[in-house]
Each structure stands twice: as structure tokens, then as C-alpha cells.
Amino acid sequence: MDSPPILDFTNLSTLALATTGPDGEPHVAAVYFAIHPLPGAASQAVWRAYFFSEARSQHSQDLARDRRAAATLYPQCFTWQEIRGLQMRGAAYRVESGIDEWNAAWEQYRAKFPFVTHLKAILARNALYAFQPDWVRLVDNQRSFGFKQEWVSVAGMWHKAERQASRLPDQTGDHT
């Protein structure tokens, strides 16, 4: 796998976005998201997660002061064997309306969430933000307990991180 498996998670509706407040306290918010550009299965190109938010929200205020953010994507699961998701670090920024990036992200967002077409007046009072990860970790207990793989973004392309996280003992309980 040459790039993070984002396509495995684009069917999810929400991304958990973490920011840091002016007092250093962490804050996390769940936001609807859409990925753009949608990478091809073998693409190494860096993508962004787009979301709308009200400018007075805590995370919007935090991002206006400090663009650094973390995010995670994970499906609902009920056993440890099902745990699988992406942990990400990067930067988020407000996308100004009327530019090509905003229009392309809006089309992707509208395709994923068709109901937003009826909320355009409400969304007009909100801002579009982009989260661009520069580090991604896949956690996948479906492969083996504690499986982790990491990527870093360098010059707009994904590369496997040099340090691969270690695996824990086999999930069958055989620790020999």
C-alpha cells in the first residue's frame, strides 16, 4: 500500500476533528466531511477532508489562531477485532468562497450529502474548511491485534513512514 487507505473510509459521515484552544486545552468536534480530490486506488496524491462549520464554533476559533489539528476516521464497532481507522495530524484552513477549491469541494460534499442542497442558505452562514493531513496512521485489528502502518506527506505525495509500529502478540493468545 503506497498511500493511506482513505477510500476505505470515505463512506463514513463524520470525522472527529481535534484542535487546541488558546488556554492549551484540547477540543474535539464531530463534523460531516467529504474527501477531495478522491484519490484513485493507487494514487499517492495528498487529499483534503472538507467540512462546514460556524465561524463562532470553538474549533473554528481555534483554527483561526492555530491551524494545527488532528483527526480520526473510524467505523462503529463492538469488538476489538473490528477496530480499524485512521489517525491523522496536519493543518486546517478556511477556504474562501468563489475559488476553484471551494467549488470543487462543494460539489464533492453535495454529492456525498445530497440533503445539503436544501440547506444552502444555512451553509452560506458557515465557512468551508479543509483539513490536510501530513501524517496518517492506519490502525487495523482486522489484520492483527495492534497492527499499525504510517505515512507522511512530502512535497504533496504520500510515502510510507520509515518507522513501522510494532505488532503485538498474535490475537489467538499464542504468545510463543
Side-chain angles (χ1 to χ4, degrees), residues 5-15 31-36 38-39 73-76 84-86 108-109 111-115 142:
I6 189 63
L7 291 175
D8 293 354
F9 299 95
T10 56
N11 65 324
L12 300 175
S13 64
T14 52
L15 171 137
V31 296
Y32 279 163
F33 77 98
I35 299 295
H36 187 77
L38 279 175
L73 292 169
Y74 54 92
Q76 184 176 23
R84 184 170 194 270
L86 297 179
Q108 190 65 40
Y109 197 87
K112 184 172 182 179
F113 304 109
F115 66 86
Q142 293 175 7

Side-chain angles (χ1 to χ4, degrees), residues 2 6 21 26 37 50 59-60 63 72 89 100 112 117 132 174:
D2 295 321
I6 189 63
Y50 290 91
H59 55 276
S60 293
L63 293 172
T72 187
R89 288 191 300 253
D100 290 344
K112 184 172 182 179
T117 302
Q132 183 169 338
D174 181 11

